[in-house]
Amino acid sequence: MSVVNFAYVLDRKVYKVSKAAIHVAVYVLLFSVMEFLKYEVLNILFIEKFQDMLLLYIPVTILFFSLDLSGLPKSRRMTFLAYSMPTLYLILALTNKFHKLFWLGEVKTEFYGSEKVRPHGGLLPWTYFIFATVLLTLAFIYIAKSKKLDLGTKRLTGFTFAFGMIGSVTAYLLNFNYTLLSFILSHTILFLDLVAIDLLWRNLLFSARYNAYEHSDDGYIVIDKLSERILDINEKAAQLLGLDRKTIVGRKEEKVQALIKRSGEIVFEANKYMKISTIEDEKNRTLLVVVKDVTSEITSKKDIEKVQTLFKTLFENIPDGAVILSEEGAIIECNKQFLSMFGYTKEEVLGKNIDNLIAPNDLQNEPDKLRKLAIEQKTLRVETTRKRKDGSLIEVRITVSTIDTGEETLIYAIYTDVTAEREAMNVVRNILQKDPLTGLYTRQYFIRKLGSTIEFSSIDDYNAVIAIDIRDFSLFNSTRGHSFGDELLREISKRLKSVLREGDTIARPYADEFWVLLEKVGKDYRQAKETLSNIVGKIESELRKFYNINGEILDIRFSTGIHIFTSMDSAEDVLRKLNLALARAKTSRDGVVYYSALIDNELQELAAKERALKEAVYNGELKIFLQPICNSYSEVVGAEALLRWVRKDGSVVPPMDFIRFIEENGMIITVGEEVLRQVCEFIVDNDTSVGFADVNVSPVQLRYPNMADRFIDIISAHEIDPRKIVLEFTENILIEMNQVVKDNIEKLLNFGCQLCIDDFGTGYSSLSYLTLLPLKKIKIDRSFVSRIPEDSRSVKVLEAIYNIARSFNLDVIPEGVENEKQLEILSMIGYRLFQGYYFGKPMPVDDFAKILRERSKFTKS
């Protein structure tokens, strides 16, 4: 029993009520163990003395256990007094050997089975027995007076103390029967522990009920039935009803009384739905009002009803036929569109198997397979044929999904009539494939057809494509209108159709361009080209006939590019080569060009040249060389900047090899600005040594809208006199004279730059410049200078030009002066400025600057 008691103290957490419970449980357990050992050994003197020592402290621990159980505080004085007495007795017991106060002697006893020696005490142990009785009596008095304990607990405790005290007295009277005493103590402490456990559990239960009451999601109000006053209200109820918890307790509340009358109902209060219920306690004459917040449930129910309404509305008003089926295909529900689509009434279809109603005779097994597949995949979409009630067939798209209700799986199917959709798709497909103006195929269709031809051609099949471009077609549109051009395109299309075979593919990929795909024109290239030459001849013959468009007779010219290919080519490469052939045909004499590798090679060379030039610009390989402009004394007064390409290996590429190319691809804009920048840097470094510098400007640059602004920015950034910059133009500037060119020239003149015409005298319009442009200088073409002194006519022309220039107050510079005789004749005519190899070849900037510093005269190199 003492072992069970010790286990209870630990397992049922009695130590939470009183730590003394552990002490007393340990003392009783040790006492019982010692009593057990006394039956096993002969000499029990030491064991019984140890038991007596344990007994000294058991009443004290029971006292403190009772104090903790009753909820009364323990003072330090009480603790000291309670432990001092047993400690005094313990000292007397331990010193008994010397004073003989606790154990007087030894007696023999047969209580443990045979004669065994045990200690014999005198009056002193009985005095401690009286002290222990006092302690236990006090413990019971404390429990009896406790307000914390209920009457039942006090009664049980009283019975336990009575059992323990009577049993202990009996054990002492029976010749100090320690075995009986062990039995009494074990049961007494166990009963006390059971009382403590019951109290602990009831406290825990009360705490749990209080927490549940106080922190519940439901509101609770306790009302006295007689006075109708509120005895208590939890926080949730006060919150739901908007009441002040502190002021409402002990009072009547009309709102609460109104709720009691509506018990069993759902009320709407403070924007919340609340369910009211009441529980009566007749014994205590109280009424418990339960207020449950059901807003979320009501809202969810309304949402469900709303969703159901929406689903029903959608189901009924969806433009397609909708039906709900069981797994076996029985119709559970359908909308009016389904009935209208198949010609049935609702009574005729509900509960019937859908297969028997709308499945055609040759597709009787299909619906069941589709249903099984839909259940397996959860969703399904298929286009098929179904049957109306009158037997006619209809093309439908069926969209199926499954609905798992938890009890069964339903099938939701939507039937869409795709008859009109397929007709529209055919129209759209025809529009996408055919050009609406000419009826020929579109570019997209032609490319697909070309890819298909390449894919399915054998390795020895040669095919061909022809591209035909109408020359000056944009002129017809701009001068005669687009309707005229449309009529011309239709007429050309008719002629192409009349000449080519029915299986040949003709397309109009662009406004004025036609493509023709000819399949299997030969088994080798030579045979294919012969066949193609005959076909192209027929096309040319037919297309070059005169056209009568809106009563106007026209002679139309065409450019034709041709490419013969095999299955080894790709569609993209075939069209690339065809475009190359057509581009070459537009510039050729007869207008018909077959693609060859030479065209590709030329293109690759151009591309390589363009890459090299771009790298040259990026790496700074394009540099200016300066040729001096001198007076009659060979003194340098100016210079002309000439562009050169200086490669990394030191070789120099002349401008005639790349200037035209960079004009055609637009790089001249960037290169021209770089030339001006280098000229400006030279002038900054040699400002006092050179009077001006000529910079050649291409017509392409002048057609660039921001050219003048860019030039002005560069000159301004170097802070030089703009009059030192002479811009040279070639004679074709008059031909290119549009508004952009005029604006650029005007801005440069206003800024202060000077204009010069290069190669004067070679163009038919040279004299026009003198009246149209505010020139400062003109340069005479070297062809006039090279023929003197042998050609007297050239001398007369040079005299005439000088007289014209002087009358217009212009500086005139002859180019190409190569010997002293030419310089002498030109000086005699009156020229004062000269340029040519006699004064020095074009040279790098550093070399030219060196000559300027030395101020030396130039001689022929």
Side-chain angles (χ1 to χ4, degrees):
M1 290 305 297
S2 63
V3 170
V4 171
N5 174 62
F6 182 73
Y8 254 60
V9 169
L10 297 178
D11 182 60
R12 303 303 168 92
K13 296 180 175 59
V14 182
Y15 55 83
K16 287 190 174 183
V17 177
S18 174
K19 292 182 180 179
I22 296 178
H23 301 153
V24 72
V26 172
Y27 292 158
V28 173
L29 176 62
L30 291 175
F31 186 89
S32 300
V33 171
M34 295 297 105
E35 185 65 20
F36 171 75
L37 292 176
K38 284 162 64 175
Y39 284 92
E40 304 297 328
V41 299
L42 293 174
N43 190 354
I44 64 172
L45 287 173
F46 174 76
I47 296 175
E48 191 159 303
K49 287 180 180 180
F50 186 75
Q51 284 180 305
D52 289 341
M53 294 176 190
L54 292 173
L55 286 172
L56 291 173
Y57 288 94
I58 288 177
V60 178
T61 55
I62 292 176
L63 172 64
F64 290 131
F65 181 80
S66 301
L67 285 171
D68 292 334
L69 191 66
S70 62
L72 296 175
K74 300 188 291 288
S75 65
R76 292 184 178 180
R77 182 179 179 184
M78 179 187 293
T79 304
F80 175 76
L81 291 174
Y83 275 103
S84 62
M85 290 301 296
T87 302
L88 178 62
Y89 278 101
L90 177 63
I91 293 172
L92 292 173
L94 293 174
T95 59
N96 187 46
K97 180 178 180 180
F98 303 103
H99 303 288
K100 303 294 185 181
L101 294 175
F102 203 83
W103 293 291
L104 297 176
E106 300 173 352
V107 296
K108 291 184 178 180
T109 180
E110 297 180 354
F111 186 78
Y112 297 102
S114 62
E115 257 189 14
K116 293 186 178 183
V117 179
R118 59 180 296 181
H120 173 63
L123 180 63
L124 191 61
W126 283 99
T127 61
Y128 182 77
F129 182 79
I130 295 170
F131 170 72
T133 304
V134 172
L135 290 181
L136 294 176
T137 304
L138 285 174
F140 175 73
I141 292 172
Y142 288 141
I143 288 176
K145 290 184 176 180
S146 174
K147 296 181 180 180
K148 178 181 176 182
L149 301 177
D150 59 285
L151 183 61
T153 301
K154 292 178 180 179
R155 287 175 180 174
L156 288 174
T157 307
F159 292 147
T160 301
F161 272 101
F163 170 77
M165 293 176 71
I166 293 171
S168 299
V169 171
T170 302
Y172 270 95
L173 293 175
L174 294 175
N175 196 19
F176 297 99
N177 190 337
Y178 277 46
T179 301
L180 177 61
L181 182 60
S182 174
F183 177 83
I184 296 300
L185 286 175
S186 298
H187 281 76
T188 300
I189 300 305
L190 179 62
F191 293 154
L192 285 175
D193 287 338
L194 290 175
V195 171
I197 290 169
D198 178 67
L199 179 64
L200 177 65
W201 282 6
R202 282 189 287 121
N203 289 338
L204 290 174
L205 180 61
F206 178 78
S207 176
R209 286 180 177 178
Y210 176 78
N211 287 329
Y213 169 84
E214 197 58 39
H215 301 100
S216 173
D217 290 335
D218 297 334
Y220 296 104
I221 307 171
V222 182
I223 299 175
D224 181 53
K225 290 184 65 177
L226 296 176
S227 64
E228 296 183 347
R229 298 179 183 274
I230 295 175
L231 302 178
D232 193 18
I233 179 171
N234 70 349
E235 188 65 34
K236 186 65 177 180
Q239 178 186 345
L240 289 173
L241 299 177
L243 300 173
D244 186 356
R245 187 178 182 184
K246 294 181 180 178
T247 59
I248 196 175
V249 173
R251 297 183 180 182
K252 292 183 180 180
E253 176 59 44
E254 294 181 1
K255 184 182 291 186
V256 175
Q257 295 300 320
L259 291 178
I260 295 173
K261 295 177 181 178
R262 301 187 63 178
S263 176
E265 300 180 12
I266 294 177
V267 300
F268 185 74
E269 183 79 25
N271 294 322
K272 293 183 178 65
Y273 290 96
M274 293 176 285
K275 184 178 180 180
I276 310 301
S277 57
T278 55
I279 302 172
E280 293 188 21
D281 185 356
E282 293 294 341
K283 181 179 179 181
N284 296 313
R285 295 183 179 181
T286 59
L287 181 67
L288 178 65
V289 181
V290 181
V291 182
K292 185 177 181 64
D293 186 359
V294 293
T295 305
S296 59
E297 290 85 344
I298 295 294
T299 305
S300 298
K301 185 177 180 181
K302 288 186 176 181
D303 288 342
I304 293 171
E305 292 175 353
K306 183 178 180 180
V307 170
Q308 290 176 342
T309 303
L310 289 173
F311 175 78
K312 186 174 181 180
T313 303
L314 178 63
F315 183 78
E316 288 297 333
N317 296 289
I318 188 173
D320 300 321
V323 62
I324 300 176
L325 308 171
S326 67
E327 291 186 68
E328 293 75 26
I331 298 176
I332 299 173
E333 186 60 83
C334 66
N335 65 358
K336 58 186 178 182
Q337 285 77 15
F338 177 83
L339 300 173
S340 175
M341 182 181 294
F342 293 101
Y344 287 97
T345 62
K346 204 160 191 175
E347 291 74 16
E348 292 175 317
V349 300
L350 289 182
K352 305 291 179 61
N353 192 291
I354 194 170
D355 303 351
N356 300 330
L357 297 175
I358 64 172
N361 296 331
D362 56 342
L363 297 175
Q364 283 295 322
N365 296 326
E366 183 191 65
D368 185 57
K369 293 179 180 178
L370 293 179
R371 280 196 301 275
K372 291 179 180 178
L373 189 61
I375 293 172
E376 180 181 342
Q377 298 181 352
K378 305 300 182 184
T379 60
L380 181 68
R381 187 173 183 175
V382 65
E383 291 190 6
T384 185
T385 305
R386 287 294 177 260
K387 178 185 67 174
R388 292 189 178 96
K389 181 180 179 180
D390 60 7
S392 61
L393 299 178
I394 178 175
E395 299 292 330
V396 295
R397 180 188 300 114
I398 309 175
T399 304
V400 184
S401 59
T402 58
I403 305 170
D404 190 359
T405 64
E407 299 177 354
E408 60 179 336
T409 300
L410 301 179
I411 299 172
Y412 184 82
I414 298 175
Y415 289 79
T416 305
D417 185 354
V418 297
T419 306
E421 183 178 324
R422 288 191 174 182
E423 291 176 357
M425 284 299 296
N426 290 333
V427 173
V428 171
R429 190 178 294 110
N430 189 53
I431 291 173
L432 292 175
Q433 290 182 356
K434 295 292 184 72
D435 172 31
L437 177 64
T438 62
L440 301 179
Y441 288 109
T442 61
R443 179 175 180 273
Q444 289 75 17
Y445 178 82
F446 187 90
I447 293 173
R448 289 199 302 271
K449 179 67 175 178
L450 176 60
S452 176
T453 300
I454 292 172
E455 183 179 357
F456 294 105
S457 291
S458 61
I459 196 168
D460 58 345
D461 283 337
Y462 281 77
N463 310 296
V465 285
I466 304 172
I468 302 169
D469 179 79
I470 307 171
R471 294 190 177 184
D472 301 324
F473 179 73
S474 59
L475 185 62
F476 292 112
N477 273 337
S478 59
T479 58
R480 295 172 176 82
H482 287 279
S483 60
F484 187 93
D486 292 345
E487 189 60 36
L488 176 60
L489 291 172
R490 279 192 286 266
E491 180 60 28
I492 295 172
S493 302
K494 290 178 184 178
R495 295 191 184 189
L496 285 173
K497 289 178 183 178
S498 67
V499 173
L500 295 169
R501 299 170 297 179
E502 186 175 346
D504 297 333
T505 303
I506 313 170
R508 186 173 79 101
Y510 306 110
D512 59 343
E513 196 170 314
F514 298 88
W515 288 352
V516 180
L517 173 61
L518 304 171
E519 301 180 43
K520 298 180 181 179
V521 292
K523 290 297 182 180
D524 56 50
Y525 185 82
R526 187 174 59 83
Q527 182 186 4
K529 190 168 183 180
E530 288 178 1
T531 304
L532 206 58
S533 297
N534 294 330
I535 296 173
V536 171
K538 292 179 181 179
I539 293 173
E540 287 281 306
S541 176
E542 182 66 25
L543 293 182
R544 289 195 174 182
K545 293 178 181 179
F546 288 104
Y547 291 81
N548 186 345
I549 307 298
N550 297 338
E552 184 177 349
I553 305 301
L554 301 174
D555 182 19
I556 307 297
R557 290 292 175 261
F558 299 87
S559 300
T560 305
I562 306 161
H563 176 47
I564 300 171
F565 64 94
T566 66
S567 60
M568 302 300 292
D569 294 314
S570 66
E572 182 178 356
D573 201 40
V574 168
L575 292 177
R576 183 184 68 83
K577 293 174 179 178
L578 178 64
N579 287 329
L580 289 176
L582 181 60
R584 182 59 60 86
K586 291 178 181 180
T587 59
S588 67
R589 181 173 297 179
D590 60 357
V592 178
V593 173
Y594 285 81
Y595 170 81
S596 68
L598 291 175
I599 299 175
D600 238 346
N601 291 338
E602 291 176 7
L603 184 65
Q604 294 299 330
E605 289 177 5
L606 289 174
K609 190 172 184 179
E610 182 174 357
R611 286 196 299 272
L613 274 167
K614 287 182 178 178
E615 290 178 3
V617 173
Y618 180 77
N619 296 327
E621 295 177 11
L622 295 180
K623 299 180 181 299
I624 62 168
F625 277 44
L626 297 173
Q627 186 175 32
I629 299 174
C630 301
N631 57 22
S632 56
Y633 302 104
S634 297
E635 294 175 343
V636 178
V637 295
E640 180 178 359
L642 301 171
L643 186 62
R644 297 291 186 268
W645 179 0
V646 183
R647 296 183 183 273
K648 293 179 181 179
D649 58 2
S651 61
V652 179
V653 181
M656 65 181 65
D657 291 347
F658 63 88
I659 287 294
R660 184 176 178 183
F661 181 76
I662 63 175
E663 283 184 333
E664 291 175 352
N665 66 10
M667 288 176 62
I668 190 65
I669 304 297
T670 303
V671 173
E673 292 177 4
E674 178 60 25
V675 169
L676 179 63
R677 191 174 291 107
Q678 292 185 31
V679 169
C680 290
E681 290 173 357
F682 165 74
I683 294 176
V684 169
D685 295 337
N686 304 275
D687 187 38
T688 60
S689 303
V690 65
F692 61 89
D694 292 353
V695 179
N696 290 284
V697 178
S698 165
V700 177
Q701 290 174 268
L702 285 168
R703 290 197 297 271
Y704 180 59
N706 295 328
M707 176 265 186
D709 295 329
R710 295 288 299 142
F711 270 41
I712 291 170
D713 290 342
I714 293 170
I715 297 170
S716 300
H718 288 83
E719 298 180 350
I720 63 176
D721 187 354
R723 290 176 295 179
K724 290 197 172 193
I725 303 297
V726 180
L727 304 176
E728 287 192 12
F729 308 122
T730 55
E731 65 174 358
N732 56 3
I733 187 63
L734 259 182
I735 303 173
E736 306 289 341
M737 188 69 76
N738 57 26
Q739 190 58 46
V740 174
V741 174
K742 292 178 181 178
D743 291 343
N744 280 327
I745 291 176
E746 184 178 353
K747 286 182 181 179
L748 291 168
L749 287 172
N750 292 336
F751 181 62
C753 295
Q754 301 185 44
L755 299 186
C756 175
I757 292 300
D758 196 13
D759 300 333
F760 185 84
T762 58
Y764 69 90
S765 60
S766 295
L767 294 177
S768 300
Y769 295 122
L770 303 178
T771 59
L772 295 177
L773 298 174
L775 301 174
K776 293 294 183 182
K777 293 180 176 63
I778 60 174
K779 285 189 176 182
I780 301 174
D781 187 70
R782 64 180 60 248
S783 62
F784 296 105
V785 178
S786 64
R787 292 195 288 267
I788 62 171
E790 293 83 6
D791 187 0
S792 59
R793 292 185 178 183
S794 295
V795 175
K796 292 185 179 295
V797 171
L798 288 168
E799 290 176 350
I801 294 174
Y802 174 76
N803 291 325
I804 293 172
R806 187 176 63 178
S807 64
F808 280 91
N809 197 25
L810 298 176
D811 291 334
V812 58
I813 305 172
E815 293 182 305
V817 179
E818 298 182 359
N819 53 61
E820 190 173 353
K821 190 65 175 176
Q822 292 173 343
L823 176 61
E824 182 182 348
I825 293 172
L826 291 170
S827 297
M828 290 174 64
I829 293 173
Y831 291 100
R832 293 293 178 264
L833 298 177
F834 311 93
Q835 183 177 344
Y837 282 1
Y838 179 78
F839 304 100
K841 292 181 179 180
M843 63 192 73
V845 172
D846 292 341
D847 294 345
F848 190 85
K850 183 178 180 182
I851 293 173
L852 285 178
R853 286 193 297 269
E854 294 175 356
R855 293 289 182 175
S856 63
K857 297 182 179 181
F858 288 95
T859 58
K860 182 179 177 183
S861 299

